[in-house]
Structure formats: C-alpha cells, structure tokens
Amino acid sequence: MLSIIYLSTFLALTSACGLPHGFEKKDLVKTAIKNVHVWNGQKFSKDLSTVVFINGNLSNAPSLGATMVDGAGGYLLPGFIDAHCHIQECSYLDAMRQYGVTTALDMGTFPISSVKGCRASGVTDIRTPGAAGTVNGTLISQMPGYPSDSFIETPEAGRSFVASRVSQGADYIKVFLDPLGPDKETLTAVVKAAHAAGKRVITHSTSYADYDTAEAAKADIPCHAPLDKAIDDPSIAKLIANGQTIVPTLIMMQSVVNNTGTPLDAYTFNAQGSVTNMYKAGVPIVVGSDANLNPYVPANPPFGLSLHQELQLLVQAGVSPVDAIRGATSLAAHTFGLYDRGSILPGLRADLVLLGADPTADISNSLSIQKVWVNGVEHDSSV
Ligand SMILES: *[C@@H]1O[C@H](CO)[C@@H](O)[C@H](O)[C@H]1NC(C)=O
Ligand SMILES: *[C@@H]1O[C@H](CO)[C@@H](O)[C@H](O)[C@H]1NC(C)=O
Ligand SMILES: *[C@@H]1O[C@H](CO)[C@@H](O)[C@H](O)[C@H]1NC(C)=O
C-alpha cells in the first residue's frame, strides 16, 4: 500500500515537469570560449573577451561553471552561410562544416525529402526549395525523374508549381530563367503566388536579359552575375527600387568561363564588373558559391572551400572585407529570414567559427579555421 502511494506520488511529480526534478538542469551544457576577438557585425572587438553558450544557444550568462575553450587570441565569427549550393548528398555537408559553413541554402534538389532528411544534430543546417521551376527542354528538365510540375510555361502552371512546392514544405521558391525559362508574365505569377504564401523567390539569372526579367517580376533574390553584359545604371535603379538582393556566385561564373574556354574578359568585364557597379550603388550582395557535384552543370565549385574563394573574388571586385563577411553572415541570414543566426548575440544559435588570423586585414584569413561549432556542437577543424 505504502509503495503504491510512493509510486503514484513519484509519477505525479515526474509528469508535472516532464523529468524527475534536478535531471533537466544536469542536461544543460554551458561552454565559454575565452581570449577571442569577437565579431560585432562591423568589426572585431579590440580587447579579448569571452562568449558563452548553453547547449545550442548563445547566452549572456556568466562563464562560471562552464567548460572553457581557450581561443588563444583568435577571431570569433558567426558560422558562415552559403546562400547558394546544391545538396544532392548529405555527405556534402561535412565538407561545408569543415570550412566553417554552418548553414547551407540549397537552390534546387529533388525529391525535397532527400535534402530535409540530411538534418541532424551538429550537422550544417539546411534550407531548400525542392525542385526548381524551369521549362520543358532545358538540360535540368531532362534529369531522370525531374518532376514535371516544375515546368512553368504559363502563369497558371507557375501558380500550381508554387502551390505544389509550398505543400511539400519548400523554404523558398527557385526558378531557372535560362537558357530557356518562363517569360515575365509567368515569373510575375510565380512571385505573387509565392509572396501570398510567405515565400521568397530566387532566380537563376546569368544574362543581362535574365536580370531584366527578374526585375520586371520583382523576384526577391536574383542569383549569379551576367556573362554577356555588365549590370548598368538603369538595371541597378530597378534592383534598388525593388529592394532586391543579389547572390552573384562569382566563383561559379569564373569556373564556367574557364571550363568552357570563354575568354576571361567575359568574367572580368561582365560578371565582376556587375558586382563592382552594384556594390558601389548600394545593392546588397550576399555570398553564395554554387557548390555542386551535378554532371548536368558546366562547373562544380568544391563544397566549403568555394565559399572562401567567393569571399576573395568579391573583395577583388571591390567589396570591402567587412561587407563580404556580412554577406556570408548577418546579411545572408536576414535576406533569407533566418533571424535565429548570423550574429554573435544572446539567444541566437551557437553557430561559430574560430579563426587564427583577422579576415578583415586579409580576406584569405577566412581560411585560418581552427574550430567550428554547429548549434553548440564543437568540431576541430584545420583546412
Ligand atoms: C535555445 O533556443 C531555442 C529557440 O529559441 C529554444 O527553443 C530552446 O529552448 C533554447 N535552449 C536552451 C538550452 O536554452
Ligand atoms: C517535354 O517535352 C518532350 C519533348 O518534346 C515531350 O515528349 C514530353 O512529353 C514533355 N513533357 C511534359 C511534361 O510536357
Ligand atoms: C580561371 O582562370 C584564370 C586565368 O587563368 C585564373 O586566374 C583563375 O584562378 C581561374 N579560376 C578558377 C575558378 O579556376
């Protein structure tokens, strides 16, 4: 009788708070990284300080009782966000993490479940649009099993494409505009339907005309940079009026030029020149590599490393190292609505990269990676 009362009291106590009293607290792991210059979004702190996180969340709690990590005078950044890559295999995420990329924004993979299935603790986090919109007859459309509801030749097809992706749980909508693609009217229908569903629209735009289409339809984020003609003042005026943000993927554009035997001038004058013009005019520039291992595309920038190559090419195009870093952290996060990351602030995800040298002094120091934390999970890293 006594033991039954004891048992029922125990059950009542445990069900009230989920776990026996005292257990939950033990489960919290506090970590403090000391002796680091901390990135504040614009620059590194001059003095060495300490950053604390509890499990996967940055915290303003004191470091008392924390597991201490000595940053040895290094430079602590928020984890990098690669705003353009193609995650056909979960293993690609390991290379990204090794290079400090803690968030990967996939730009078109099917089935969508194959990308979402990569999510795991301590693994680079992902977002995906599922299969991208295109028209029947493009190389992409001929990939075996490509879902035909992605073929958007009419506004009506555009709207049902968006409805289909939204019902599958797409994080945003991606549309290829070339070499063949939907017209302005169809892309406009896609953008309106996506916005009504609370989703951003990202376009593949590798020509001046594609930028024109993305501007006319007010797509949120045109990707790539034109190889045929540099973006000029009239085009920039529309980008600014629309509040559009660009992901130029210069490493992809340069790789394509090299792999196809196109004169390098097409890259230098048009792709790099576009970034120079847009940056000077104040168009926000976000960092994306287009890392992929897809045999259907003309170049395959390597996962992880190419994020750093992109930072270097952006700086060569005239972007300041500080703005290049912001384009791979806070600006990338806000552009894609990922408000839980991108900065080192209490409450945000503990996605962190410890560098041995200052990347604002020389952007190639972004490769001096010593440790990476993904949602608080530590990985040693030397690349
Ligand atoms: C971390 O933050 C998330 C999102 O705000 C929250 O759900 C979770 O409870 C937090 N975990 C800890 C250990 O503070
Ligand atoms: C795509 O085009 C090919 C060749 O014209 C045709 O055989 C096929 O039925 C088309 N697919 C769709 C879904 O329209
Ligand atoms: C492309 O070729 C140029 C000129 O040879 C070279 O400087 C550049 O590094 C190459 N880019 C890539 C991504 O291979």
Side-chain angles (χ1 to χ4, degrees), residues 251 254-255 258 264 309 313:
I251 183 61
Q254 201 185 59
S255 304
N258 287 4
L264 194 60
Q309 295 172 318
L313 291 180

CSV table of all heavy atoms in Angstrom, one decimal, residues 251 254-255 258 264 309 313, ligand 3:
chain,number,residue,atom,x,y,z
A,251,ILE,N,32.6,32.8,-58.1
A,251,ILE,CA,33.4,31.6,-58.2
A,251,ILE,C,32.8,30.7,-59.3
A,251,ILE,O,33.6,30.1,-60.1
A,251,ILE,CB,33.7,30.9,-56.9
A,251,ILE,CG1,34.7,29.7,-57.1
A,251,ILE,CG2,32.4,30.4,-56.2
A,251,ILE,CD1,36.0,30.1,-57.6
A,254,GLN,N,33.3,32.4,-62.8
A,254,GLN,CA,34.7,32.3,-63.3
A,254,GLN,C,35.0,30.8,-63.7
A,254,GLN,O,35.7,30.6,-64.7
A,254,GLN,CB,35.7,32.7,-62.2
A,254,GLN,CG,37.1,33.1,-62.7
A,254,GLN,CD,38.0,33.5,-61.6
A,254,GLN,OE1,38.3,32.6,-60.8
A,254,GLN,NE2,38.6,34.7,-61.7
A,255,SER,N,34.5,29.9,-62.9
A,255,SER,CA,34.8,28.5,-63.3
A,255,SER,C,34.1,28.1,-64.6
A,255,SER,O,34.7,27.4,-65.4
A,255,SER,CB,34.2,27.6,-62.2
A,255,SER,OG,34.8,27.9,-60.9
A,258,ASN,N,36.2,29.5,-67.4
A,258,ASN,CA,37.4,28.7,-67.6
A,258,ASN,C,37.1,27.4,-68.3
A,258,ASN,O,37.8,26.9,-69.2
A,258,ASN,CB,38.1,28.5,-66.3
A,258,ASN,CG,38.8,29.8,-65.8
A,258,ASN,OD1,38.7,30.8,-66.4
A,258,ASN,ND2,39.5,29.7,-64.7
A,264,LEU,N,38.5,35.2,-70.6
A,264,LEU,CA,38.3,35.6,-69.2
A,264,LEU,C,37.7,37.0,-69.1
A,264,LEU,O,37.1,37.3,-68.1
A,264,LEU,CB,39.7,35.6,-68.5
A,264,LEU,CG,39.6,35.6,-66.9
A,264,LEU,CD1,38.8,34.5,-66.3
A,264,LEU,CD2,41.0,35.7,-66.3
A,309,GLN,N,36.6,31.1,-51.6
A,309,GLN,CA,37.0,31.6,-52.9
A,309,GLN,C,36.1,32.7,-53.3
A,309,GLN,O,36.5,33.7,-53.9
A,309,GLN,CB,37.0,30.4,-53.9
A,309,GLN,CG,38.0,29.4,-53.6
A,309,GLN,CD,37.9,28.2,-54.6
A,309,GLN,OE1,36.8,27.7,-54.9
A,309,GLN,NE2,39.0,27.6,-55.0
A,313,LEU,N,36.9,36.6,-54.3
A,313,LEU,CA,36.5,37.2,-55.6
A,313,LEU,C,35.7,38.4,-55.4
A,313,LEU,O,35.8,39.4,-56.1
A,313,LEU,CB,35.8,36.2,-56.5
A,313,LEU,CG,36.7,35.1,-57.0
A,313,LEU,CD1,35.8,34.1,-57.9
A,313,LEU,CD2,37.9,35.6,-57.8
B,3,LIG,C1,40.3,30.9,-64.2
B,3,LIG,O1,41.4,31.2,-65.0
B,3,LIG,C2,42.1,32.3,-64.5
B,3,LIG,C3,43.2,32.7,-65.6
B,3,LIG,O2,43.9,31.5,-65.8
B,3,LIG,C4,42.7,32.0,-63.1
B,3,LIG,O3,43.4,33.1,-62.6
B,3,LIG,C5,41.5,31.7,-62.2
B,3,LIG,O4,42.1,31.3,-60.9
B,3,LIG,C6,40.7,30.5,-62.8
B,3,LIG,N1,39.5,30.4,-61.9
B,3,LIG,C7,39.1,29.2,-61.5
B,3,LIG,C8,37.9,29.2,-60.6
B,3,LIG,O5,39.6,28.1,-61.8
